[in-house]
Amino acid sequence: MQKATFEISGMSCGHCVKAVDKALQQAPGVTVEAVAIGSATVAFDESATSADVIAKVIDDAGYQVLNTR
Ligand SMILES: [Cu+2]
């Protein structure tokens, strides 16, 4: 498992946290570690997904990934 933290723009309330958390929970190969306003930290299986794919999941949920580390 590899770890990634995404800096996210557009999250403003608990609903946003839930929306991002739900989208990440449903993404294959992803274990959600923490979601807060403006950031999400996950562990992921490199054989199933990648940081780029996970960033796209967040974008598709309606938020913007500013930075990945
Ligand atoms: Cu919100």
Side-chain angles (χ1 to χ4, degrees), residues 44-59:
F44 64 95
D45 177 353
E46 309 94 303
S47 67
T49 189
S50 69
D52 283 350
V53 169
I54 299 165
K56 178 118 183 11
V57 167
I58 296 169
D59 280 335

Side-chain angles (χ1 to χ4, degrees), residues 11-17 63:
M11 296 176 72
S12 58
C13 68
H15 170 83
C16 300
V17 171
Y63 305 95

Side-chain angles (χ1 to χ4, degrees), residues 6-31:
F6 302 91
E7 192 185 319
I8 305 165
S9 161
M11 296 176 72
S12 58
C13 68
H15 170 83
C16 300
V17 171
K18 277 205 183 110
V20 170
D21 185 50
K22 190 177 170 199
L24 291 171
Q25 300 278 6
Q26 290 170 347
V30 176
T31 302

